Amino acid sequence: MTAPDAGRGIWDGEETRTFTGLPLDSFRILHVSTGNVCRSPITERLTRHALADRLGDPLWGGLVVESAGTWGHEGAPMEANAEAVLADFGADASGFTGRELLDEHVIMADLVLTATRDHRQQVISMGHSAGLRTFTLKEFTRLVKAIDPATLPPLEDGLVIRARALVRAAAALRGWLLAPTAEADEVFDPYGAPLTFFRSIGDEINEALDPVVTALTGVPAKT
């Protein structure tokens, strides 16, 4: 079976895409940080781990999870402390290589989740009508928590349809539900910090992802 992050795609219109090596009806989640060696790899692999844990499907019902960095270290390995954090959660860190954020990544993404507001602004400044589908991770979590799951399409309609509806609902709430502080929507950079700080960032990311994955899949985390 083709790996979940394989293939490339092009826009065929607002809702339809053609991919090589992926199901036609896919929903791409792109995590963005600075170097793509700490925060975004942790977020990417924790998202994949949570989806696989809840769905058990290698392609997660058409959900594809990737990451890149605004100053990405192309081809670089993940930071060792980031790998250690993933091991704490039982998530797979193998096979990762850093990527510099490119136009094609933004074009193909259905949802872009960034570590900070600066990253979000950098993605939006690239164009490609990215504004309505780009959020900081914590911003998206805050908005998703305010969305009644009963207003989303049922799981029987497919995860891709549900995921697209979730992004539209979150975008509609932005501006109405403001963060209590500017820093509340940020995940700080642990680069160069000791493992204890990396672990605190990992816990922070995992906590932010939980309601997002639950909303996407309709399946709560296993207890």
Side-chain angles (χ1 to χ4, degrees):
M1 180 175 287
T2 304
D5 59 348
R8 287 291 182 267
I10 57 173
W11 281 102
D12 275 346
E14 184 64 27
E15 292 291 340
T16 305
R17 299 170 192 205
T18 301
F19 288 98
T20 300
L22 288 172
L24 178 63
D25 198 21
S26 298
F27 182 93
R28 282 183 179 260
I29 302 171
L30 177 66
H31 294 294
V32 174
S33 62
T34 303
N36 195 214
V37 292
C38 297
R39 287 169 291 181
S40 51
I42 290 173
T43 316
E44 172 197 312
R45 295 308 175 94
L46 286 181
T47 305
R48 291 187 185 190
H49 180 68
L51 289 170
D53 185 57
R54 299 183 202 200
L55 301 177
D57 178 356
L59 285 176
W60 305 310
L63 302 181
V64 182
V65 186
E66 304 172 303
S67 66
T70 55
W71 290 89
H73 303 302
E74 189 73 30
M78 192 185 309
E79 281 288 299
N81 282 346
E83 290 189 1
V85 167
L86 292 174
D88 290 342
F89 289 99
D92 183 14
S94 65
F96 180 86
T97 54
R99 301 193 307 174
E100 181 179 357
L101 182 66
L102 302 176
D103 288 271
E104 68 183 76
H105 302 146
V106 177
I107 290 169
M108 291 191 294
D110 296 279
L111 172 62
V112 184
L113 297 176
T114 69
T116 69
R117 292 168 297 149
D118 282 347
H119 296 133
R120 183 187 65 194
Q121 189 55 46
Q122 288 179 66
V123 172
I124 293 172
S125 71
M126 295 172 73
H128 314 301
S129 303
L132 292 178
R133 52 195 165 93
T134 303
F135 309 78
T136 75
L137 170 63
K138 287 187 173 182
E139 174 192 21
F140 193 66
T141 300
R142 174 165 47 79
L143 298 173
V144 163
K145 284 181 176 180
I147 297 170
D148 182 355
T151 64
L152 298 174
L155 294 174
E156 292 77 13
D157 289 354
L159 289 177
V160 170
I161 290 174
R162 182 182 176 93
R164 289 175 180 160
L166 182 67
V167 173
R168 289 194 297 269
L173 286 174
R174 185 158 43 192
W176 293 92
L177 295 176
L178 302 179
T181 66
E183 291 75 21
D185 282 345
E186 309 254 314
V187 176
F188 294 109
D189 192 356
Y191 185 78
L195 180 57
T196 51
F197 187 67
F198 265 83
R199 283 182 166 143
S200 70
I201 292 297
D203 289 340
E204 196 175 317
I205 290 171
N206 189 63
E207 182 179 349
L209 283 174
D210 180 69
V212 172
V213 176
T214 297
L216 284 169
T217 64
V219 181
K222 295 177 182 178
T223 57

